[in-house]
Amino acid sequence: MMAALSPNRIRAMARKEWIQLRRDSLSMALAFVLPVLLLIIFGYAIKWDVEDIHIGVLDRDGSVASRELVETFRSSGYFTVTHRPEADREVRELLVQGAVRAVLVIPPGFSADLAAPRSAPVQFLVDGADANTATISQNYADAITARYTSDRLRVDITPLRLESRVWYNPTLNSTNMIVPALIAVIMSIIAAMLTALTIAREWERGTMEQLASTPVHRLEVVLGKLIPYLLIGLVDVVVAVAAGITVFGAPLKGSVVLLAALTILFLLGALGVGIFISAAVRSQVLATQIALLTTYLPALILSGFLFDIGGMPRFLQAVTYIVPARYFVSVTRGIFLKGVGLEALWPQALAMVVFAVVGLGLASRAFKKEVV
């Protein structure tokens, strides 16, 4: 039977870990500076909005109608005409050199075809090397030409008129969806990295034998070492949320209390995994490398942060269910953008409860031989 855990011993372990952490300037910088730095860098660097697309225009018609079409593209706010090629060879060179993202080619007889009226084909040559920008550029061009035709001929292009309304992120600002998820990804990385050094540091400094000789249960050691990092993690999340709202303008529509509660669950699991890694390998360098490998790549690629999980192959979709960041990304986006409560997020909350239990269990089990 396991003896009852002692709050005093846990508190003493936590105090010892905090004193040791406070003396380590590198760990303190990692704990407080790196999360904010990553948030600012990634928040500004990662953008899916495509604006100010540079295009060339080859106008072989030279009519009022063709100039009006070009002006429609320019006044849309999405395209900027930067080049005026005069031959097909120049068009190819512009696309090959990456000087423009697309070229609008208006054939001779364009105005006559419109006046007939009959089909008036126009080419829009797009550089497909960047598939995302190419797809968005095509969509913009389709919408602009449809509006131009409708306004000029004064008829609806199709009998069906679709009126769309975007919920939760009406401006379709990619920053609003990137920043909340970025908080989840950064915390999954930082939490594991911080605690990955704890037990390994004790072994490398030769203080583990002293710790092993004390009548402290292994779970008390794990909890004592975990508490300071849990508090640091909560401070980091508060700072990251504040920066997301004030610097990037991300909306926070949901419950702060619910966000705090689910953050604690997530941090418990992530910190537990870090301690497990630290106890298992006993080397700070190796523990840091393993922590990065097991948290950074899965959180970045398999959490739904950068890539839609539904678009992944089936076997990768199955793998994402064991990536904790997947659930925390859903939580942060749901609370920030949709303002949903536990009635919608209970599956993610349940998954993070399991993650916290597994993380703490692994940490305690890996520490079994070190503390008796």
Side-chain angles (χ1 to χ4, degrees), residues 40 57 160 165 185 238 280:
I40 292 175
V57 173
L160 175 64
R165 180 183 177 187
V185 171
V238 169

Side-chain angles (χ1 to χ4, degrees), residues 56-58 60 69 73 88 91 102-107 110 120-126 141 145:
V57 173
L58 174 55
R60 288 198 173 105
L69 177 60
F73 269 78
D88 292 338
V91 169
V103 177
L104 177 66
V105 181
I106 304 175
F110 170 74
V122 174
Q123 274 191 324
F124 191 68
L125 306 176
V126 184
T145 52

Side-chain angles (χ1 to χ4, degrees), residues 192-228:
M193 283 186 60
L194 283 173
T195 48
L197 302 177
T198 56
I199 308 299
R201 183 168 49 210
E202 298 276 5
W203 279 106
E204 291 185 358
R205 291 180 177 177
T207 57
M208 181 56 71
E209 291 78 5
Q210 300 175 12
L211 185 60
S213 65
T214 61
V216 182
H217 191 273
R218 62 179 182 272
L219 187 55
E220 293 173 338
V221 175
V222 169
L223 292 176
K225 286 184 170 295
L226 185 145
I227 287 174

Side-chain angles (χ1 to χ4, degrees), residues 110-165:
F110 170 74
S111 58
D113 289 338
L114 282 180
R118 55 178 177 263
S119 175
V122 174
Q123 274 191 324
F124 191 68
L125 306 176
V126 184
D127 182 357
D130 184 343
N132 180 61
T133 302
T135 302
I136 295 175
S137 299
Q138 281 185 299
N139 293 336
Y140 288 161
D142 288 341
I144 291 169
T145 52
R147 188 182 68 189
Y148 171 82
T149 305
S150 178
D151 291 345
R152 187 172 183 83
L153 300 181
R154 299 293 189 269
V155 295
D156 289 332
I157 298 171
T158 63
L160 175 64
R161 182 175 181 179
L162 178 67
E163 293 186 2
S164 301
R165 180 183 177 187

